[in-house]
Amino acid sequence: MATKVKFTRREVALALSGSAAALAQTPSPPPPQNAPLSPDDELKAARESNLQNSEQLAKFPLPMSTEPAAHFKV
């Protein structure tokens, strides 16, 4: 006979936050120190990054009926 175990949202969040806290203890490596870019170089890097991101997103089909992550109220 199987018994169902019920967890409340708070219990699930508490259990997940414990594992997240353990993962958060590992320090991340420091970011590399690069020379400051000129405004033109920054713009070029941002455009290149947007192009790469759009190419990666284009690999996945996304139906038009997909709900956006945010709702905008007028």
Side-chain angles (χ1 to χ4, degrees):
M1 179 186 237
T3 60
K4 290 187 177 183
V5 179
K6 294 185 178 182
F7 292 105
T8 64
R9 290 181 187 169
R10 289 183 182 178
E11 291 171 337
V12 172
L14 182 63
L16 292 176
S17 68
S19 62
L23 289 174
Q25 295 298 323
T26 58
S28 62
Q33 296 294 326
N34 296 337
L37 298 175
S38 69
D40 290 336
D41 290 339
E42 283 186 33
L43 180 61
K44 184 184 280 186
R47 286 181 175 161
E48 187 174 306
S49 175
N50 284 343
L51 179 63
Q52 290 174 354
N53 289 339
S54 66
E55 288 172 353
Q56 291 294 321
L57 288 172
K59 293 179 181 179
F60 301 99
L62 188 65
M64 291 300 290
S65 62
T66 302
E67 183 177 338
H71 297 282
F72 300 99
K73 295 182 180 178
V74 180

